[in-house]
Amino acid sequence: MAELTLTPNLDRPDDFYAELIAAHDGLSEDESAAFNARLILILANQIGNTQVISAALRAATKPDR
């Protein structure tokens, strides 16, 4: 099984968060959901490893992780 990084790993997490929130500015709830779906698919493609993506899906279902 591929290794999933669950510890903080962003070089500038606050900047990323601000950019993510700004990307949603002015979007309706449906547009925001569609944006999130597109972003997830783009990032999954960037990861390119189905085992890692599957591990991330499992981790996301566990709120304590």
Side-chain angles (χ1 to χ4, degrees), residues 4 6-8 11-12 19 26-27 33 38-40 57:
L4 181 65
L6 294 175
T7 56
D11 56 348
R12 297 172 68 170
E19 191 171 355
L27 298 180
R38 289 190 304 273
L39 180 60
I40 289 166
L57 288 169

Side-chain angles (χ1 to χ4, degrees), residues 20-37:
L20 179 61
I21 295 303
H24 286 267
D25 190 38
L27 298 180
S28 69
E29 190 172 331
D30 286 345
E31 291 169 331
S32 183
F35 172 86
N36 283 337

